[in-house]
Amino acid sequence: MVTAFIMIKANTGEADRLRDNIESIDGVQSAHIVAGDVDLIAKAVVETPAEVKEIAATHIQTIAGIEDTQTYIAMD
């Protein structure tokens, strides 16, 4: 299993809608609105690194209101 954390910058006025959209993506275990340099953090648990890329690049980055993402894959 591959666990990844996706840091998401977004239009903050839409954070609730964006969180709900992100949590509905297959492989996303949870998404949280946070304070700090990013607006949301999503946790994905999937079988392969390619699936992490699919979630971040194909699904999350194409949601209207998402400005940028950074993905970190857990090493443990």
Side-chain angles (χ1 to χ4, degrees), residues 3-8 13 17 30 34 37 41 48-51 56-57 62-63 65 69 71-74 76:
T3 300
F5 297 92
I6 305 162
M7 310 299 145
I8 304 160
R17 176 189 64 84
S30 62
V34 299
D37 292 337
I41 297 176
T48 66
E51 289 175 274
T62 60
I63 296 171
T69 64
T71 303
Y72 299 89
I73 293 179
D76 60 352

Side-chain angles (χ1 to χ4, degrees), residues 47-62:
E47 293 293 323
T48 66
E51 289 175 274
V52 173
K53 179 184 174 191
E54 179 78 12
I55 288 170
T58 303
H59 295 294
I60 293 176
Q61 289 181 0
T62 60

Side-chain angles (χ1 to χ4, degrees), residues 12-74:
T12 55
E14 302 181 77
D16 290 323
R17 176 189 64 84
L18 296 171
R19 181 193 59 220
D20 293 344
N21 287 348
I22 292 164
E23 284 185 330
S24 72
I25 298 169
D26 287 339
V28 173
Q29 193 174 68
S30 62
H32 304 274
I33 299 168
V34 299
D37 292 337
V38 297
D39 302 301
L40 298 110
I41 297 176
K43 179 180 180 183
V45 180
V46 292
E47 293 293 323
T48 66
E51 289 175 274
V52 173
K53 179 184 174 191
E54 179 78 12
I55 288 170
T58 303
H59 295 294
I60 293 176
Q61 289 181 0
T62 60
I63 296 171
I66 301 294
E67 295 177 5
D68 192 25
T69 64
Q70 289 185 341
T71 303
Y72 299 89
I73 293 179

